């Protein structure tokens, strides 16, 4: 095996001869390194074997592939390394015809698109629409979100598979929703799992093909599996395939709202794939001693991380009079460390080595204002991988591509008409071809002012170029950029030019993994929808992120702000112990993103949206940490600021 540094515990996992293996891996224990070396070990030991490695994020998959490319030149031929959704996408692309999809269905990944479908269903039902109209706008929006959430949960439970759901009214809504998707040759994000499960269970010979192809299967972050995903893995393995490794951490379950449950890893897998060999990784190689001591306060004794880091680091809890004081202190502290550094951090502390985290993105508003005034670069990290373009010009381009891929797509055709401010009344157009829709657009656009017509002509030419040859995509973007740059400086659409640069990166990301002869616009759009093509490099500046958006990442300095009761934990979690337990997992994940320095901050009062200030209590997680570390805060409390320094 290729020489690489592994601890005894890591090497035991990498070289294990056991079939079914459960690895309990704590935060910062090097599990991505272990998974990578496990793949390398298996492929080098068994020259004809293939491996299926299912990761939780595209970033983890890219990291594993980059490490393996150095020694295994044919890695793409011998291993599939990617998210469970990217694997399912390939199954649907190759086998979707078995369940009625002659052409690859388009993924409606955006919530706004799915919400429009729900509104359409409501409008087509007289009884539902009458009740809907009686609600105000806020109530209507909540109804739509609730319906979409329940539909999503039905799909995550494989369409209400159990008999008690068969007469549920929500199931009827689900059927209407799915019918509307099918009529437009579309699927949503959850369908990627559901349809693949259907292919594997309805056509056992297909599952057998994949079982023979992939001798070994590994599942990363398996504590976050939901019912449909776990059943998919079972369907893939059948009754005989036992060479499965599940890797995860029960203390990092933070997607319960999405149907995830650690029981599929620690209970169902142990039962269904028995006998299972249990191994563990509980040494944290990421964080300093001070951070590990604080993080261990949030998890049970049996799963606490071993503390063997030679660096003490720094952990502080700070209380402020209000949100403005909190924001100003964070910004000033960032400035201080960027200028003076810290003895436990090697090299210059740059903005990309610092993160400010919170339970929700709304907590960042006061801080963003302060950072802008101080000229400190930052960006708000998105939770999702899907692209959102800001300029009307590239939004129009993007909608046109969706129609080029899928002419049956009436939803995005109507969005395109609205974006171009065209009259949508009495629109009758065949759904059969892109040319039909383009002809309708061309007729309507002739009635519009010259600038709109000129822009449309440029976009139409780019669509036709791409339709003629998918590999002319970059050249089509070049033409669009040249067109925009020819505008006078005061009329130049800089936002559109930035959006074109984003599209360049998406296309380059796709081309890197797909050979020239295998590229199709449909495949490109599908990979875009799943975030596979996205640039793994973050924008420059301080990272402002929710806990969910930074899972799997690490930063030298982390500020966890807004640590008030009702904010973190979120007030909605007070309803049951399971939700509170998941909030505690969220806090644990947040703390373990820090490598060297960690600050927990909270204001004593907050400005309410309706006006006035309201007194706040510190998070119960702060109190738990204090109690666990035997602190006596009353003895060190000052008038405006509480600072606890754990070395």
């Amino acid at each position: 095996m290729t020489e690489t540094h592994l601890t005894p515990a890591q090497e035991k996992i990498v070289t294990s001869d056991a079939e079914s293996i459960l690895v309990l891996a704590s935060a910062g224990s090097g599990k991505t390194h272990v998974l990578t070396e496990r793949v390398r070990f298996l492929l080098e030991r068994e020259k004809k074997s293939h491996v299926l490695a299912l990761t939780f994020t595209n970033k983890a998959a890219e990291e594993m592939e980059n490490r393996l490319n150095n020694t295994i030149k044919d890695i793409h031929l011998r291993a599939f390394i990617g998210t469970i959704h990217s694997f399912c996408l390939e199954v649907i692309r190759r086998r979707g015809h078995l369940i009625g999809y002659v052409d690859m269905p388009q993924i409606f990944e955006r919530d706004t698109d799915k919400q429009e479908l729900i509104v359409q269903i409501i409008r087509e039902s007289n009884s539902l629409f009458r009740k809907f109209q009686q609600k105000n706008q806020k109530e209507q929006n909540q109804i739509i979100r609730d319906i979409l959430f329940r539909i999503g949960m039905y799909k995550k439970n494989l369409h209400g598979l159990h008999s008690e759901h068969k007469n549920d009214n929500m199931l009827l809504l689900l059927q209407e929703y799915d019918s509307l998707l099918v009529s437009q040759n579309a699927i949503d994000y959850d369908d990627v799992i559901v349809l693949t499960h259907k292919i594997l269970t309805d056509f056992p010979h297909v599952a057998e093909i994949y079982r023979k192809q992939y001798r070994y299967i590994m599942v990363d972050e398996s504590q976050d599996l939901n019912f449909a995903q776990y059943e998919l893995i079972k369907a893939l393995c059948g009754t005989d395939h036992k060479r499965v490794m599940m890797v995860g951490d029960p203390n990092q379950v933070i997607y319960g709202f999405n149907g995830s449950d650690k029981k599929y890893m620690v209970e169902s897998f142990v039962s269904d794939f028995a006998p299972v060999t249990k191994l563990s990784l509980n040494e944290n190689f990421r964080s300093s001693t001070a951070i590990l001591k604080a993080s261990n306060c949030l998890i049970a004794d049996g799963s606490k991380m071993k503390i063997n880091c030679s660096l003490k680091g720094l952990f502080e809890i700070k209380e402020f009079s209000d949100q403005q004081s909190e924001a100003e202190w964070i910004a000033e502290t960032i400035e201080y460390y960027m200028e003076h550094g810290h003895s436990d951090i090697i090299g210059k502390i740059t903005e990309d080595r610092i993160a400010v985290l919170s339970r929700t993105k709304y907590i960042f508003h006061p801080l963003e204002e302060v950072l802008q005034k101080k000229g400190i670069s930052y960006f708000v990290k998105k939770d999702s991988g899907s692209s959102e373009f800001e300029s009307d010009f590239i939004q129009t381009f993007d909608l046109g591509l969706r129609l080029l891929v899928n002419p049956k797509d009436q939803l995005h055709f109507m969005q395109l008409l609205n974006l171009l401010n065209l009259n949508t009344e009495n629109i009758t157009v065949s759904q059969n071809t892109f040319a039909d829709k383009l002809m309708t657009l061309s007729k309507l656009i002739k009635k519009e002012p010259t600038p709109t017509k000129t822009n449309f002509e440029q976009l139409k030419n780019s669509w036709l170029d791409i339709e003629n040859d998918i590999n002319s995509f970059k050249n089509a973007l070049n033409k669009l950029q040249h067109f925009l740059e020819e505008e006078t400086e005061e009329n130049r659409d800089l936002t559109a030019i930035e959006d074109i640069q984003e599209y360049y990166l998406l296309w380059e990301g796709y081309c890197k993994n797909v050979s020239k002869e295998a590229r199709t616009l449909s495949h490109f759009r599908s990979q875009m929808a799943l975030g596979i093509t996205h640039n793994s490099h973050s924008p420059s500046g301080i990272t402002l992120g929710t806990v969910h958006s930074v899972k799997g990442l690490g930063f030298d300095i982390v500020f966890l702000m807004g640590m008030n009761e009702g904010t973190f934990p979120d007030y909605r979690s007070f309803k049951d112990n399971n939700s509170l337990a998941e909030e505690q997992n969220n806090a644990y994940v947040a703390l373990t993103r820090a490598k060297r320095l960690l600050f927990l901050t909270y204001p004593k009062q907050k400005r309410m949206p309706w006006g006035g200030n309201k007194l706040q209590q510190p998070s119960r997680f702060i109190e738990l940490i204090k109690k666990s570390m035997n602190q006596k805060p009353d003895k060190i409390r000052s008038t405006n600021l509480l600072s606890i320094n754990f070395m």
Side-chain angles (χ1 to χ4, degrees), residues 474 503-513 524 533:
K474 186 175 181 178
Y503 240 122
Y504 273 127
L505 293 174
L506 294 170
W507 177 249
E508 288 173 2
Y510 177 67
C511 293
K512 183 174 68 174
N513 296 316
F524 173 47
T533 61

Side-chain angles (χ1 to χ4, degrees), residues 369-385:
E369 292 178 1
V370 177
L371 292 176
Q372 288 170 10
K373 288 179 182 177
K374 288 181 172 290
I376 299 175
S377 299
Y378 73 90
F379 69 96
V380 180
K381 187 168 180 59
K382 297 179 181 178
D383 289 352
S384 172

Side-chain angles (χ1 to χ4, degrees), residues 256-374:
F257 63 88
N258 208 23
S260 300
D261 197 318
K262 64 183 179 183
K263 71 180 181 182
Y264 300 118
M265 175 183 76
V266 298
E267 296 176 14
S268 303
F269 175 67
V270 172
S271 173
D272 295 334
F273 289 81
V276 171
T277 299
K278 296 182 181 180
L279 301 171
S280 64
L281 293 171
N282 60 358
E283 293 180 272
N284 183 296
F285 300 100
R286 175 191 296 147
S287 305
S288 62
T289 299
I291 294 167
L292 290 178
K293 285 181 178 179
S295 302
N296 272 339
C297 296
L298 298 177
I299 57 179
D301 290 340
S303 57
K304 291 189 185 299
M305 296 172 286
K306 288 183 180 179
I307 300 176
N308 56 8
C309 182
S310 60
L311 298 173
K312 290 183 178 181
L314 181 65
F315 171 64
E316 292 185 354
I317 297 174
K318 290 189 174 290
E319 178 188 86
F320 298 90
S321 58
D322 53 34
Q323 292 166 288
Q324 187 64 29
S325 300
E326 180 187 30
E328 289 175 354
W329 182 86
I330 290 173
E332 289 167 2
T333 306
I334 287 172
E335 283 184 320
Y336 174 84
Y337 283 116
M338 288 177 61
E339 181 179 351
H340 299 286
H342 189 277
S343 58
D344 283 345
I345 300 176
I346 298 173
K348 181 176 175 58
I349 298 176
T350 53
E351 292 162 333
D352 62 300
R353 302 176 75 174
I354 303 172
V356 184
L357 310 182
S358 69
R359 181 61 180 84
T360 66
K361 62 183 179 181
Y362 305 108
I363 301 299
F364 295 133
H365 292 164
L367 178 62
E368 289 186 70
E369 292 178 1
V370 177
L371 292 176
Q372 288 170 10
K373 288 179 182 177
K374 288 181 172 290

Side-chain angles (χ1 to χ4, degrees), residues 73 108 196 227 266 277 303 318 327 347 354 358 360 379 413 418 443 448 464 470 472 488 520 558 596 607 618:
K73 301 303 180 184
F108 284 6
T196 305
F227 177 77
V266 298
T277 299
S303 57
K318 290 189 174 290
I354 303 172
S358 69
T360 66
F379 69 96
F413 179 58
N418 288 325
K443 288 179 180 178
E448 296 301 310
L464 293 175
I470 180 59
S472 69
T488 60
T520 67
V558 169
R596 299 292 176 260
R607 183 77 176 171

Side-chain angles (χ1 to χ4, degrees), residues 85-290:
H85 283 86
S86 63
F87 170 71
C88 290
L89 180 68
E90 288 304 302
V91 175
I92 295 171
R93 190 164 73 98
R94 295 176 182 276
R95 318 280 179 180
H97 63 278
L98 295 172
I99 54 172
Y101 289 94
V102 178
D103 299 316
M104 178 67 194
Q106 184 178 358
I107 301 174
F108 284 6
E109 77 279 12
R110 298 187 303 206
D111 285 343
T112 51
D113 291 345
K114 293 181 284 187
Q115 287 166 3
E116 284 191 39
L117 295 179
I118 296 300
V119 170
Q120 184 175 334
I121 292 170
I122 291 173
R123 288 183 180 278
E124 291 175 357
S125 169
N126 291 333
S127 59
L128 279 177
F129 190 50
R130 281 196 300 270
K131 293 178 182 178
F132 189 70
Q133 280 186 309
Q134 294 171 3
K135 308 293 183 181
N136 61 41
Q137 188 63 54
K138 183 177 179 180
E139 290 171 329
Q140 289 180 356
N141 292 340
Q142 188 59 50
I143 289 170
I144 294 167
R145 286 193 296 268
D146 288 345
I147 291 173
L148 271 179
F149 174 77
R150 293 189 64 184
I151 286 176
M153 293 309 294
Y154 266 86
K155 293 192 176 189
K156 291 176 180 68
N157 286 284
L158 297 177
H159 285 229
L161 205 59
H162 305 295
S163 59
E164 63 263 26
H165 296 301
K166 294 304 182 184
N167 296 317
D168 194 327
N169 288 332
M170 187 55 63
L171 190 58
L172 298 177
L173 270 175
L174 167 65
Q175 291 167 348
E176 289 291 326
Y177 173 79
D178 278 346
S179 295
L180 197 51
L181 284 172
V182 169
S183 71
Q184 301 189 49
N185 192 38
I187 59 178
D188 67 17
Y189 192 72
D190 291 317
D191 285 328
V192 177
I193 302 292
V194 171
L195 296 180
T196 305
H197 179 269
K198 181 175 178 61
I199 291 170
L200 296 177
T201 52
D202 288 3
F203 301 91
H205 71 281
V206 173
E208 184 61 27
I209 290 171
Y210 287 105
R211 280 195 283 275
K212 289 181 178 178
Q213 181 177 358
Y214 297 112
R215 179 170 170 79
Y216 296 95
I217 298 174
M218 286 177 278
V219 184
D220 189 16
E221 302 283 9
S222 53
Q223 80 277 352
D224 288 321
L225 291 172
N226 60 35
F227 177 77
Q229 292 167 343
Y230 180 70
E231 289 296 314
L232 173 76
I233 292 167
K234 282 178 60 180
L236 182 63
C237 293
T239 56
D240 299 325
H241 195 313
K242 299 287 187 179
R243 292 175 294 276
V244 180
M245 175 184 283
M246 290 273 188
V247 183
D249 181 2
N251 295 308
Q252 294 192 62
V253 177
I254 63 173
Y255 290 94
F257 63 88
N258 208 23
S260 300
D261 197 318
K262 64 183 179 183
K263 71 180 181 182
Y264 300 118
M265 175 183 76
V266 298
E267 296 176 14
S268 303
F269 175 67
V270 172
S271 173
D272 295 334
F273 289 81
V276 171
T277 299
K278 296 182 181 180
L279 301 171
S280 64
L281 293 171
N282 60 358
E283 293 180 272
N284 183 296
F285 300 100
R286 175 191 296 147
S287 305
S288 62
T289 299

